[in-house]
Amino acid sequence: MSSILRNAASIVGVGETEYCKVGRATRSEFELACIAVLRAIEDAGLEVSDVDGLCAYASERSAPVALAPALGMSELQFVNLYPGGGNSAAGIVHNAALAVSAGVANTVVCYRSLCQGALRFGRARAGHGSSAQPMGASIGGPQAFTAPFGLFSPAQMYALDARRHMHEFGTTSAQFGAVAVASYANAQRNPRAVMHGHPLTLEQHQASRMIADPYRLYDCCQESDGACAVVVTSSERARDLRQPRVLITAGAQGMERGDGNERQSRPAPLWTTAGQASVARRLYRDAGIGPEDIDVIQVYENFTGQVVMALEDFGFCERGEGGPFVESGAIDWPNGRFPINTSGGNLAEAYVHGLSLVIEGARQLRGTSTSQVEGAAHCLVVGGPSAPPSSALVLSRD
Amino acid sequence: MPLPAPEPATAAFWEGCAVRELRIQKCAECGTHRHVPAPVCPHCRSFDHTWEASQGVGHVFSYIVVHHSVHPATADHVPYNVAVVQLDDCGGVFVTSNVIGCPNDGLRVGMRVRLVWEQVDASLSLYRFAPV
């Protein structure tokens, strides 16, 4: 039986602010959110008064309850938060599509604004999401079982999984580097990218300083300031709008049994995966296609090793073969079979918690990417790997 | 380094550390071990638990070497390692800690380790591991 969501909703507008390195934005995070949302509505050829739904990340500080009155929005019928950070990237669009296809809302704007400021994600933080604080001299909760030993940052936590993948499958740092090199190469063709004009070779990756061995500097996503937004409406209504429709063919979200925030409590097999195998299975089922039908991939890079594991979870290679797969050129534009992160992604375009990857997916299907995959019909968008509950989308050309 | 702030659900664990006992929570109903401490057994959903002292022998399941400090307390201590140790007993739970008595470039996944205690302030010792 086909999913009721299949192709029922479309992305009809995208909006972005300029992207810059962390701390360099000249406008507030909230102002950036307003700009991105207005640009997305404008791109769609719609009016603010057409919007009747908002979807945001639960960690969003420019919350819908502040944004809607600030932009003079009309009555809202659907307001929704997806738990977490980068894991929400596809999830908020999935939720918008569900609301639209169920008739709960007509036009939903999904958005993310991020100026990390004093609470940089790469620093030691106490707690999760929007309630996180810089970590002080004592720590309660589950972090009392990690921080006293010096385990603080996402790079450190995710490097533990990368090490395990290297141990079990022989994956190498140079293979992780292939992910970064591919992303940086794409960013050189994308003038919006923060790393435009800063190409990266594998030798530079291998010579870059260790952050948390095995992860080097270029294995880690950037920290950026910026905002972006996506407008979702019914595919029927989308026919009459300004842009070519980008069909939301399927969405999936969720988490594996035993996965969770307390990473040391996860079952052993999850340490070498992105925790997305069940999301992938349901996504392909509902899309009615498989990995062989995907033309281009936007996969959230928190860290390069997690991209390798996500590509395994989504069936582009066998479990444990992700290292040789990314090294083979399969992920490189334009000649690889599955080019990834054609804008430069989180590593080299900007880190806006992955919603920018949805926008790049839409660009590929409109035919307007700066690293356009010729004839791209289906784009896979993968939210934060190994960051449950995760999410993914299949977007399709009309 | 930030020190643990005991809370009702974790006080028994940290009291164990004060007397140099690595206590792992165990479901009183089905006997499943869990770490970190949690109010309910994810296997049988019982809220009753006991504590079992681990013998503290196990192996390094994974490890990292931190070179880039992200907390003021570690600024003068990089590079340092963080290891996840899988205990031989107590259901093979994972415990996050450090390996001492071994150079960072000598660490290996699978390396056998045993528990050692380190006094970190007047009332608290922390569990670390050393090569067997």
Side-chain angles (χ1 to χ4, degrees):
Chain A
M1 193 182 78
S2 150
S3 158
I4 59 157
L5 177 60
R6 190 183 294 175
N7 295 334
S10 291
I11 293 175
V12 294
V14 300
E16 297 170 288
T17 65
E18 292 66 35
Y19 298 135
C20 59
K21 285 194 173 183
V22 64
R24 296 196 183 166
T26 55
R27 300 172 190 270
S28 73
E29 190 174 65
F30 185 70
E31 193 174 350
L32 293 178
C34 294
I35 291 168
V37 168
L38 291 175
R39 285 181 180 171
I41 296 168
E42 163 76 20
D43 181 60
L46 290 166
E47 303 292 335
V48 170
S49 56
D50 292 318
V51 175
D52 62 357
L54 289 174
C55 282
Y57 296 38
S59 54
E60 177 61 55
R61 288 178 290 241
S62 305
V65 71
L67 190 92
L71 293 180
M73 286 187 167
S74 303
E75 176 183 322
L76 297 182
Q77 307 194 66
F78 182 71
V79 179
N80 173 264
L81 300 178
Y82 191 97
N87 52 308
S88 315
I92 60 169
V93 178
H94 185 206
N95 286 354
L98 290 168
V100 165
S101 59
V104 172
N106 295 311
T107 301
V108 180
V109 178
C110 309
Y111 66 97
R112 181 62 171 152
S113 183
L114 207 51
C115 295
Q116 296 187 29
L119 203 65
R120 291 173 58 178
F121 293 149
R123 298 280 154 182
R125 292 177 298 150
H128 296 285
S130 59
S131 61
Q133 297 292 326
M135 193 180 292
S138 78
I139 180 71
Q143 286 174 294
F145 296 87
T146 51
F149 306 97
L151 186 66
F152 300 110
S153 70
Q156 296 164 2
M157 296 176 207
Y158 285 70
L160 284 164
D161 290 29
R163 171 86 65 200
R164 192 67 206 171
H165 199 276
M166 295 166 93
H167 172 76
E168 287 191 24
F169 304 116
T171 316
T172 66
S173 169
Q175 290 169 340
F176 294 151
V179 172
V181 169
S183 294
Y184 269 75
N186 294 337
Q188 305 319 306
R189 292 178 288 272
N190 173 7
R192 296 178 312 276
V194 175
M195 293 300 171
H196 181 71
H198 298 276
L200 180 74
T201 65
L202 185 60
E203 291 68 32
Q204 287 170 314
H205 171 275
Q206 289 292 284
S208 67
R209 64 191 171 92
M210 281 292 184
I211 299 298
D213 187 354
Y215 277 157
R216 300 174 178 280
L217 178 66
Y218 290 113
D219 291 310
C220 307
C221 57
Q222 307 175 75
E223 293 179 303
S224 312
D225 288 350
C228 50
V230 169
V231 183
V232 174
T233 193
S234 73
S235 293
E236 193 181 322
R237 180 157 195 231
R239 284 185 201 284
D240 304 325
L241 296 180
R242 179 180 290 165
Q243 302 288 351
R245 303 188 300 179
V246 173
L247 301 170
I248 300 171
T249 296
Q253 52 185 286
M255 53 197 282
E256 307 284 1
R257 179 177 183 168
D259 207 352
N261 277 340
E262 306 328 321
R263 300 179 64 81
Q264 67 186 315
S265 303
R266 292 172 298 160
L270 279 182
W271 290 63
T272 49
T273 79
Q276 295 176 311
S278 62
V279 168
R281 188 180 68 244
R282 285 183 276 107
L283 183 75
Y284 290 134
R285 179 198 65 197
D286 289 353
I289 65 172
E292 66 282 1
D293 300 307
I294 299 294
D295 300 301
V296 56
I297 304 166
Q298 315 300 331
V299 49
Y300 190 102
E301 325 103 300
N302 29 22
F303 305 99
T304 54
Q306 275 61 42
V307 171
V308 169
M309 297 180 214
L311 292 170
E312 294 176 7
D313 280 12
F314 280 87
F316 295 100
C317 58
E318 296 297 314
R319 173 77 52 215
E321 291 296 316
F325 176 77
V326 297
E327 199 175 39
S328 71
I331 61 169
D332 298 338
W333 186 91
N335 295 324
R337 172 65 184 84
F338 299 106
I340 68 165
N341 301 346
T342 43
S343 64
N346 291 335
L347 292 174
E349 184 192 45
Y351 184 74
V352 199
H353 251 158
L355 190 58
S356 47
L357 298 171
V358 177
I359 292 182
E360 176 63 10
R363 260 189 225 109
Q364 281 288 350
L365 301 162
R366 288 179 176 183
T368 58
S369 171
T370 50
S371 296
Q372 182 63 40
V373 171
E374 212 173 316
H378 299 296
C379 178
L380 171 68
V381 183
V382 179
S386 204
S390 198
S391 59
L393 297 168
V394 170
L395 304 178
S396 302
R397 193 179 56 195
D398 200 358
Chain B
M1 214 65 97
L3 289 177
E7 293 162 340
T10 62
F13 179 91
W14 298 113
E15 286 161 16
C17 290
V19 297
R20 303 198 161 195
E21 199 174 276
L22 180 59
R23 295 177 181 168
I24 303 297
Q25 217 174 22
K26 183 181 182 182
C27 175
E29 286 291 327
C30 74
T32 303
H33 293 83
R34 58 183 187 262
H35 182 76
V36 302
V40 58
C41 173
H43 186 65
C44 76
R45 288 95 191 177
S46 167
F47 284 77
D48 297 327
H49 66 264
T50 59
W51 296 89
E52 186 170 305
S54 171
Q55 296 303 303
V57 179
H59 71 274
V60 173
F61 181 77
S62 191
Y63 70 93
I64 56 168
V65 180
V66 176
H67 290 257
H68 174 72
S69 169
V70 299
H71 188 283
T74 57
D76 297 328
H77 297 283
V78 287
Y80 66 90
N81 73 69
V82 179
V84 173
V85 171
Q86 186 167 27
L87 298 175
D88 285 356
D89 59 4
C90 294
V93 296
F94 297 123
V95 176
T96 300
S97 182
N98 313 106
V99 175
I100 62 173
C102 174
N104 288 330
D105 60 10
L107 291 168
R108 295 290 178 268
V109 173
M111 164 178 222
R112 299 289 299 165
V113 290
R114 66 180 169 79
L115 178 63
V116 290
W117 289 95
E118 221 171 65
Q119 193 87 28
V120 292
D121 76 3
S123 59
L124 182 69
S125 291
L126 279 182
Y127 44 99
R128 310 211 200 266
F129 291 83
V132 170

